[in-house]
Amino acid sequence: MVAVLALASFRVYVGRFLRFSAASCVSTAGTRSCAGRLGQVIHANLENPLQHPRLIASLLALTASLTIGYLVVHSAAGSHLELDRD
């Protein structure tokens, strides 16, 4: 589950800091060019992540916060199910 949350965090990073959104890529006439630019930017960021400290800090912070949120919701749902059994 943490891997999925890390991927979601990367998507947030791409949208927030790299300024790519799915809506703008779909609405533009050259969808392939948008996907190509997105691929190039992602490749440049992931090729040497140590050159992009904002990427590392963002991924760690977002993944940690999403994981904590997931655990809170998961534990609340689990305790609710146990209360219904009694």
Side-chain angles (χ1 to χ4, degrees):
M1 186 46 102
V2 175
V4 171
L5 294 174
L7 285 174
S9 298
F10 184 71
R11 173 59 187 105
V12 170
Y13 173 80
V14 167
R16 177 71 182 146
F17 295 108
L18 302 181
R19 302 287 188 194
F20 280 97
S21 69
S24 66
C25 283
V26 170
S27 66
T28 58
T31 306
R32 287 187 179 170
S33 66
C34 182
R37 284 186 296 133
L38 177 62
Q40 290 172 349
V41 170
I42 290 174
H43 182 269
N45 279 285
L46 294 180
E47 186 175 35
N48 192 356
L50 296 179
Q51 290 181 347
H52 304 281
R54 184 171 54 177
L55 168 68
I56 295 170
S58 298
L59 288 181
L60 289 175
L62 288 167
T63 302
S65 63
L66 287 175
T67 302
I68 290 169
Y70 171 79
L71 292 174
V72 167
V73 170
H74 188 269
S75 66
S79 65
H80 178 68
L81 292 174
E82 289 178 16
L83 291 174
D84 286 345
R85 291 182 188 166
D86 291 335

